[in-house]
Each structure stands twice: as C-alpha cells, then as structure tokens.
C-alpha cells in the first residue's frame, strides 16, 4: 500500500510540474495513458531517456532527459543552441519548437490537440510527422528516438530582414 501511495504522490507532483510548464495536457496523458496506479502495470520510473537531435547543420546531438519532461524542457535543460527554439516557453503561442520525428517514433506519440495543430499550421517545413516539442513528454518507450530540427523556424520576434 505504501508503494501505491508513493506512486500517487509522484504522479501528483509530476502533474503539478507539467501544469507549471503549461504542458499539462500532454504530460497528463503520458502519466495516465495505459497505466493504472493501483494495478500491477509498470510504475513510473526516474530512468533517463536518450534523445538524439539532428540540428539544422546535420550534426547529431545526443542528450538525456527525465520521463515526463517535454522535449522543450530537454533542449532548455541541456542548453542546446537551436536558434529561436521555444520562444513562447511552451505556452502554445508559437511554432518555434517544431520538430520532425521518424515515422516509427511518431506513431508512439500521443494525439495532437486542436491547439497544437493550429500552431503547427504556422511552422516552416511542416511534414506528416511534425509535432511541437513542448507538447511531447518523454517516456521510456521513446528512449533512443531521433528527432530533426527543421532547417528554418517561424519566429515572430524577428523582423522581415531576419534581424532581432
């Protein structure tokens, strides 16, 4: 019983953290999708998840994040230099955290919300496997995934001549 209580507390803390980051919808879905806190299914773990980013120059950058962190959190926490990435800090007010996923990984991601679709409509280089990094929370099933940063970004903070 103590284990169930501990897992519930962990889930509540994780949900509050996701809410603070304004990604509660996708993180909450991650915490509850296919997992019962009281049944014999896998408990939440703190193991790190490996993410392989392919930056705009084609360079592969491998980092680790914690389950429940969004991909935007990973980029910020690891201080990755993706110019203009995450301008709205995960509030679903821009498309600067647009990422392109491999087909296999894309199928593992949760559903796209209407709000995310609206923002993806503004993204440059949109593909069938595009998602916003602020809406994708890490799970162990995503360990080792490869995501590509598009060649350009739609950043409303820049003027028409490209200056800030």
């Amino acid at each position: 019983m103590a284990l169930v209580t501990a897992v519930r507390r962990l889930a509540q803390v994780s949900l509050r953290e996701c809410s603070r980051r304004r990604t509660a919808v996708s993180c909450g879905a991650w915490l509850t999708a296919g997992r019962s806190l009281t049944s014999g299914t896998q408990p939440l773990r703190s193991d790190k998840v490996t993410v392989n980013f392919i930056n705009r120059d084609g360079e592969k950058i491998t980092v680790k994040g914690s389950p429940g962190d969004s991909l935007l959190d990973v980029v910020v926490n690891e201080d990755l230099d993706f110019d203009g990435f995450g301008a709205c800090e995960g509030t679903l007010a821009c498309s600067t955290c647009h990422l392109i996923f491999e087909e296999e990984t894309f199928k593992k991601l949760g559903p796209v919300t209407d709000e995310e679709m609206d923002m993806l409509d503004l993204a440059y280089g949109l593909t069938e496997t595009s998602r916003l990094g602020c809406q994708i929370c890490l799970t162990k099933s995503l360990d080792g995934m490869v995501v590509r940063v598009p060649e350009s970004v739609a950043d409303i903070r820049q003027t028409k001549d490209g200056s800030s």
Side-chain angles (χ1 to χ4, degrees):
M1 191 63 170
L3 178 60
V4 171
T5 302
V7 171
R8 284 186 180 148
R9 285 186 184 148
L10 177 61
Q12 290 170 345
V13 169
S14 295
L15 282 173
R16 278 196 298 272
E17 183 68 13
C18 286
S19 178
R20 183 186 68 77
R21 293 181 186 145
R22 298 178 190 230
T23 58
V25 172
S26 55
C27 289
W30 171 81
L31 286 169
T32 59
R35 289 182 170 84
S36 169
L37 296 178
T38 57
S39 71
T41 59
Q42 291 184 352
L44 300 175
R45 298 180 182 189
S46 61
D47 299 339
K48 295 290 187 171
V49 176
T50 300
V51 180
N52 299 290
F53 289 97
I54 306 298
N55 72 12
R56 293 181 178 113
D57 297 328
E59 175 187 8
K60 182 177 180 181
I61 301 168
T62 301
V63 295
K64 293 189 180 280
S66 298
D69 284 350
S70 72
L71 287 173
L72 174 60
D73 295 332
V74 173
V75 170
V76 170
N77 293 343
E78 295 297 319
D79 198 27
L80 301 180
D81 187 22
F82 301 151
D83 189 42
F85 196 90
C88 76
E89 300 176 353
T91 61
L92 270 176
C94 72
S95 62
T96 59
C97 64
H98 169 216
L99 294 169
I100 300 169
F101 294 83
E102 293 178 325
E103 184 72 32
E104 180 181 310
T105 302
F106 184 79
K107 291 177 182 177
K108 295 178 184 178
L109 305 177
V112 181
T113 64
D114 290 340
E115 293 84 3
E116 183 180 357
M117 285 300 290
D118 289 345
M119 287 297 109
L120 280 169
D121 286 342
L122 304 174
Y124 289 129
L126 191 64
T127 72
E128 291 292 319
T129 60
S130 289
R131 292 290 301 269
L132 297 180
C134 67
Q135 298 301 298
I136 305 301
C137 290
L138 295 179
T139 63
K140 283 304 286 178
S141 69
L142 298 175
D143 190 45
M145 74 174 145
V146 176
V147 290
R148 188 166 50 87
V149 179
E151 292 182 22
S152 60
V153 64
D155 188 347
I156 60 173
R157 298 174 303 164
Q158 293 180 343
T159 61
K160 290 183 181 183
D161 66 0
S163 63
S164 295

